[in-house]
Structure formats: structure tokens, C-alpha cells
Amino acid sequence: MDQAEKKQQVANAAAEMVESGIKLGVGSGSTVNLFIDAMARRGRAPAALVASSRETERRLRVAGFQVSELGDVGDLDLYVDGADEANKNFQLVKGGGGALTREKIVAAASRRFVCIIDDSKWVAVLGQFPLPVEVIPMAQSYVARQMVRQRGQPILRKGFVTDNGNVILDVHSLAIENPVELETRINQIAGVVTVGLFAQRPADVILMAGDSGIKRLERR
Ligand code: 5RP
């Protein structure tokens, strides 16, 4: 099975978990786009839907869903989102699509976070995928210097502006042995809006598509 088929399978499996009447947060990325289409095909009708990016909001509307603001809905029952990397502690690297800040907010406001990945995203140590850091534009070179002090190699994502009007530094060559500690440390750097480490609020469930089908992993 190729990666596209695996993404489709895991998107279908996640759509099965959406019960009518729940308050649902929807992440961003190609796997989530397939999830949106699968939900629409199955006629699932959450009571409220909150999007983690403008692109997801647009796709939800095209698929026929109404989209609410997080502030109008309060806490969410379920958040479904993809990831760029995941480890056995359900900690994630996210932000390949640049939506990390809103994704982190929606994840924080959700009782249950279901992460949908194919098995290429499963790693022993986070950091092979460059770690996205959303930064206030004027702090770009300051934050880049701090990332070098953390032994990372920051590269500005050229021509990209986040939904919040900021820039992204993709930090290469980090072997993230202690994700909670690094998330805390990077969060404290002046000018950092969000780091794409989801370790303090990891996923609760990982649905992972592989050659032998979907694996469902539950965090205890
Ligand atoms: C976007 C994300 C995505 O979840 C992550 O990049 C995975 O994307 P895809 O499903 O396209 O592989 O964090 O900011």
C-alpha cells in the first residue's frame, strides 16, 4: 500500500469515530483533507466544527459544513489532526503545513485528541523532521540565534506567512531526547509564538495506517 492509500484508510477510520452531535476540532494537512471528505461522504453532522486553519475552514465549507469560532463554542469533545512525526509517548512534531499555533490552541481546548498518521511518521526520536517554530517577524534573527544555541540549524520558510501574520523557522538537526523540556525551553524565547512540539499536550489516541491495516494506540 502506498502512502496516499494509507492516508485515505486512516482518514476513513477517523471519520467513523465522529458521532453526530459532538463538538469537533479539525486539524490541517493532506490527511485531514481526506478526513473532511470522508466525514462528508458518511453524512456525519457534528453539532459544531472548529477549524485549525483558514485552509481547513475553506475545505470544510466546500464540503458543506458550517464552521464555528472556538470562542463561540467552548471546549471541544474531539480533535482530529495529522502529524509530521509521532513517538511511543504520543508526543508529536507538527506544523509542516504551518498551522501549528491554531492547531495547538484547538488541541488544548479538546477533551480528546486523535492523531491520524501513516506509518512513515512513526519515529523512535523526534527531530528527523525539521521542527517548525512560528516567530514574530521582527524576532526572526534573534530566535534563529537561540536555535543555533540549542544545536539546531534554523532555516526560514521562504515566502510563507502564517494565518497569524508570522514567519516559520524550520529547525533542522535536532535529536529531541526530552520533548517536554525542549518545548518549555523554546516557548520561553522572546518572539516565539509557538513551537511545533506537542509534548505537554500529546495525542490521546494515534490511528496509524500501515501495510497490515490500521493500528489504534491509546495513551494511558
Ligand atoms: C500542519 C500539520 C499537519 O498535520 C502535518 O504537517 C501532517 O500533514 P499531512 O497530513 O499532509 O502529512 O501539522 O500544520
Side-chain angles (χ1 to χ4, degrees), residues 96-98 133 140 154-162 166-172:
V133 182
Q140 175 193 317
I155 297 187
L156 178 69
R157 200 177 290 184
K158 287 219 174 67
F160 186 85
V161 177
T162 69
N166 298 313
V167 297
I168 300 268
L169 293 174
D170 291 305
V171 186
H172 295 246

Side-chain angles (χ1 to χ4, degrees), residues 46-124:
L49 277 167
V50 171
S52 69
S53 64
R54 291 207 178 120
E55 174 59 13
T56 291
E57 180 175 348
R58 190 188 67 75
R59 284 186 175 260
L60 283 166
R61 290 194 199 284
V62 168
F65 294 106
Q66 277 194 341
V67 182
S68 304
E69 293 295 328
L70 182 62
D72 296 332
V73 172
D75 283 347
L76 305 174
D77 299 301
L78 180 66
Y79 179 50
V80 176
D81 198 359
D84 300 302
E85 284 185 341
N87 71 12
K88 66 177 175 20
N89 295 320
F90 295 71
Q91 297 163 324
L92 313 170
V93 167
K94 290 186 46 53
L100 59 162
T101 297
R102 294 183 186 207
E103 290 172 345
K104 210 174 246 197
I105 294 166
V106 181
S110 300
R111 279 185 271 281
R112 200 163 162 78
F113 176 5
V114 174
C115 181
I116 52 175
I117 55 171
D118 65 82
D119 55 4
S120 69
K121 312 283 184 75
W122 188 251
V123 296

Side-chain angles (χ1 to χ4, degrees), residues 137-146:
M138 77 165 281
Q140 175 193 317
S141 56
Y142 170 73
V143 174
R145 291 198 297 281
Q146 305 311 306

